[in-house]
Structures are given as structure tokens and as C-alpha cells.
Amino acid sequence: MIFRQLFDSESSTYTYLLADEHTREALLIDPVREQVERDLNLLKELELKLTYVLDTHVHADHVTAAGLLRQRTGARAVASHKGAPCVDVKVRHGDVLQMGEVKVEVLETPGHTDDSVSFRVGKRVFTGDALLVRSAGRTDFQNGNAGQLFDSITGVLFRLPDDTEVYPGHDYKGHTQSSIAEEKRYNARAANREREAFVQLMGNLNLPPPKKLKEAVPANLACGVISPTQTSSPQA
Ligand SMILES: [Fe+2]
């Protein structure tokens, strides 16, 4: 399998490219709209055909490239059945997407948002913002729920084999990957913490809202192809 981890420095978002080296079919997980030319160019250089674009959830901190990539390549947009209505394939826990020999298993991991999913591909799991390296996504907007996130992390992700490689949706400290074993031991929010203590901790983070919240959420509900005039709120 061809595998690349790509980074958008403005939003600290990781985008992942996975492809079957024989059929040359490719998928992108969490592509960023501002990086669409970079990603299309890489696909071209590697002689890959984009088949699927997967979003782990409706993002609040960047606009997805799913809609643009769909227009430019004919790829099908994939996300949770609880997420953006614009996608072509709405997935649920246990669903499998097959692309050549690349098999993507869907794990519903809500809590950061109610539509958050993780994608498991062989020994790798792409966790979006549910599980970050030594951290976990905030739960204070978009129907976030700290108790639900605790259940997703400990009841779904931490039950994967210890040597499963964890690839997060973001990192702000320069980490690129982790493993389930490492996160069970060292995750600063979830490791060795009871559910109630986790809920309390997440409720006291007092983080400022993401800079792009008002623009990104409505745009992402339309797969990122909404025009700027449509995104501005009437009160703004
Ligand atoms: Fe997020």
C-alpha cells in the first residue's frame, strides 16, 4: 500500500493519502481546501486515481477539500451518516470500503462531535480528533459530549491491538503518530482516568473558539463548496 502523511500548517491538519499500488486507486482522509492543488499534484506524480475522499467529521477549524476534489476527479465523498448531507457514501460502524487490496473499516467514535468516525486500515487507525497524540479533541461544540468521547476512546479505540499505529487529525506539538499502547499509557486526557474525571477535565478546558468555526462548519456541511456569501451569518 502507498501511504503518505501530509500537513497543513495553518490549521495543523494532517491529510492522509492511501493507495493500492497495483490498481492505482487512491483515497484521501481529511483533505484541506487550501491544499487541493498540492494533493492533486501528488496524485498525478504518483500516477494515482482518486476514488474516495473521507472526512472523519464536520470540521470546525478548516474547510474540507472533499467537494472540490469530487468536482475535479469524480471521487466519491464519504463521511458518517450523522455528518454532512452532501456526501455520496454515508457510513456506519462496521462498514467496510474496499479499494483494490486496501480495506477501510469504519469505527464510529463520537464525542468530539456527534458524527466523528475513525478509519481502520490494517495496522493503522486514523482517529480524526477523537484521539490525538497524548490528547483528545475538545467536546464543547458541534454536539460534543465528553462522556461519549471517553466511551469511544476507551471502549472502541483502546480495544484495538496495542501495536495499532494511531494517526491523528491534528497535532500542535510536532508529533506525527503514536500507538494504542502508548496512548493507553501516556494520553494526558484519557489514560488512567475514570469517566467522571475525564468529563470534568474536558469541561474545564476553557479553550477559545476555533478561528474558522463560523466559516468552516456551514461550508463543510456542503462539502466545502459553499460560496463565501452563503457562509456569512445574517447577524454578522
Ligand atoms: Fe475537529
Side-chain angles (χ1 to χ4, degrees), residues 203-218:
N204 291 328
L205 291 179
N206 295 319
L207 299 167
K211 273 180 268 166
K212 290 195 174 179
L213 179 68
K214 280 193 178 148
E215 176 204 355
V217 172

Side-chain angles (χ1 to χ4, degrees), residues 130-136 153 158 181-193 198:
L131 181 64
L132 304 171
V133 178
R134 309 296 186 259
S135 187
I153 292 173
F158 282 3
E182 270 178 54
E183 294 311 311
K184 276 175 165 170
R185 249 183 111 175
Y186 301 120
N187 189 283
R189 292 184 177 169
N192 306 310
R193 194 168 258 126
F198 179 83

Side-chain angles (χ1 to χ4, degrees), residues 57 59-61 112 129 170:
H57 61 292
H59 304 279
D61 52 14
H112 166 61
D129 297 356
H170 299 283

Side-chain angles (χ1 to χ4, degrees), residues 1-5 16-21 27 29 101-107 118-128 131 157 160-168 176-180:
M1 187 176 79
I2 297 164
F3 173 65
R4 294 293 170 92
Q5 183 177 37
Y16 299 96
L17 167 69
L18 284 73
D20 181 300
E21 52 192 305
L27 64 83
I29 298 174
E101 289 190 358
V102 178
K103 188 176 140 192
V104 181
E105 184 190 346
V106 178
L107 305 172
S118 297
F119 299 110
R120 185 185 183 193
V121 184
K123 63 176 185 176
R124 298 180 173 94
V125 66
F126 301 90
T127 52
L131 181 64
L157 296 170
L160 296 173
D162 275 353
D163 62 353
T164 305
E165 295 170 11
V166 173
Y167 291 93
T176 55
Q177 69 182 85
S178 181
S179 72
I180 292 297

Side-chain angles (χ1 to χ4, degrees), residues 72-85:
R72 301 270 295 268
T73 67
R76 302 176 81 199
V78 182
S80 165
H81 65 106
K82 292 183 189 155

Side-chain angles (χ1 to χ4, degrees), residues 13-18 27-32 52-56 59 104 119 121 126 128:
T13 301
Y14 286 121
T15 296
Y16 299 96
L17 167 69
L18 284 73
L27 64 83
L28 285 165
I29 298 174
D30 288 337
V32 174
Y52 291 116
V53 182
L54 283 59
D55 269 300
T56 52
H59 304 279
V104 181
F119 299 110
V121 184
F126 301 90

